[in-house]
Amino acid sequence: MIARLHLYLVDATAALVIWVLVAYAMLEPYDHASPFVAVPLAGLVAVPVAVRRWWPVTALAVTLVATALVVMTQVLPVIALGAPVGAVCFALYTVAVDRDRTWSLAALVATIFVTAGLSGGEVESVLVAVAALGSVWAIGYTTRLRRSMLERETAQAAEQALADERLRIARELHDVVAHNLSLIAVQAGNAAHVRSPEHAYEALQVISETSRAALTEMRGLLGVLRSDADLAPSPGLGGLVDLADRASLAGVRVTLDVRGEAVVPEGIGLSVYRIAQEALTNVVKHAAPAACTVLVEVTTEAVRVEVADDGPGVKELGVGHGLIGMRERVAVYGGTFSAGPGDGGGFRVVAELPVR
């Protein structure tokens, strides 16, 4: 708003200067000229410059007609034609910037025709008009092209950002589905093998709650992918408690320890959440029933997350999407990642993400 007001003030100042110059050019050669005639006619030439951004074509037409009027009625001598031509150049530039090529070229031809005719119509006058007014038009049209390119680049950048965000959300679907289906599968297996109705009921209750939570989160993500709705907030460190509770329902005794009070950027918080989610999913699938410790240390320089369990461990690391996804999340921030058997048995995942 302030920038626009500044431009309007510049236009008003330019119009005032041209008004004074044109009026002076009318009054100077003739001591008997009446200011009551010269000042209004000079205003008719100059005032359109102040409103050229609102009505560019109208401003050019009025300025051009007024210039022709004062010259043809000999109120303004031809030798002083430069002052009103300055107003014409202002208006022509605005037409070249704001109107398409057809309109601006038509305005250029009309302006050259009138200006060259008023100055005598000689070849030299035509060449001077073509050179001066053509340069003004070229500058304005180049400005229009540059603005158009910037608008397209801005629109493309916005579309790319939205596409990237939707791709990120699509990847989040994998984490949501994998985590919750793993919990459901474990509890379904428990329900199929237990003989106690109470234990079967507890397993089915976990399946029911986990299914509803997964469907709710997936509906939100798919809603963003299928529409232009606002993107929902991403889970972060605050969601680790619910994550640990869901894993506990699947038979994994989770101890959560979050240390530090520093503010964590949203992207890093989401990555820490997903790394912990994927690590807990692996514990549920491969080590349950087991005890698991989730340690998150937050400092001003980095966020470190460690997930360790006391299960049977693995003989060799797999190549599933879980570990690959965790490595990718850490690599985005230039952090470090390791996963493998723990010193005292079980399996241990450690990731450190620097806070930039």
Side-chain angles (χ1 to χ4, degrees), residues 11-272:
D11 289 345
T13 303
L16 181 60
V17 171
I18 293 173
W19 193 342
V20 172
L21 291 176
V22 174
Y24 177 79
M26 292 179 182
L27 296 172
E28 172 64 17
Y30 311 107
D31 295 336
H32 63 278
S34 173
F36 297 103
V37 175
V39 173
L41 288 178
L44 191 61
V45 173
V47 167
V49 173
V51 297
R52 64 191 176 97
R53 297 184 191 275
W54 285 292
W55 305 289
V57 176
T58 303
L60 177 61
V62 172
T63 300
L64 202 58
V65 170
T67 300
L69 177 64
V70 297
V71 173
M72 293 176 66
T73 57
Q74 297 184 350
V75 176
L76 179 76
V78 176
I79 194 173
L81 188 60
V85 168
V88 172
C89 289
F90 271 101
L92 178 62
Y93 170 82
T94 308
V95 172
V97 171
D98 289 348
R99 294 295 183 266
D100 59 28
R101 185 169 55 187
T102 301
W103 270 100
S104 63
L105 282 176
L108 173 63
V109 172
T111 305
I112 292 175
F113 178 79
V114 173
T115 304
L118 293 176
S119 59
E122 294 86 358
V123 176
E124 293 82 359
S125 301
V126 175
L127 292 178
V128 170
V130 170
L133 297 174
S135 298
V136 171
W137 178 87
I139 294 173
Y141 188 68
T142 302
T143 302
R144 173 182 173 83
L145 293 179
R146 185 174 67 252
R147 290 180 182 177
S148 178
M149 292 178 59
L150 289 175
E151 290 175 357
R152 285 198 299 270
E153 290 176 357
T154 301
Q156 291 174 356
E159 292 176 359
Q160 184 62 44
L162 181 59
D164 292 342
E165 183 67 9
R166 288 181 172 178
L167 179 60
R168 181 191 66 78
I169 293 171
R171 290 177 175 174
E172 298 297 328
L173 282 174
H174 166 265
D175 296 330
V176 172
V177 172
H179 175 71
N180 290 286
L181 287 184
S182 296
L183 299 181
I184 292 172
V186 170
Q187 293 300 320
N190 292 339
H193 291 89
V194 297
R195 298 179 180 273
S196 170
E198 292 79 8
H199 291 164
Y201 174 79
E202 292 177 359
L204 293 175
Q205 186 68 21
V206 172
I207 292 174
S208 175
E209 294 175 357
T210 304
S211 300
R212 283 196 296 268
L215 288 173
T216 299
E217 191 169 356
M218 288 177 64
R219 284 194 193 100
L221 293 173
L222 289 174
V224 172
L225 291 174
R226 292 174 179 172
S227 69
D228 294 329
D230 293 336
L231 300 176
S234 301
L237 300 186
L240 293 176
V241 175
D242 293 336
L243 195 64
D245 290 342
R246 289 201 298 270
S248 298
L249 293 175
V252 176
R253 299 182 301 280
V254 180
T255 301
L256 176 63
D257 185 7
V258 180
R259 304 173 183 174
E261 300 294 336
V263 178
V264 177
E266 181 180 352
I268 292 181
L270 172 62
S271 295
V272 171

Side-chain angles (χ1 to χ4, degrees), residues 242 306 350:
D242 293 336
E306 177 181 340
V350 181

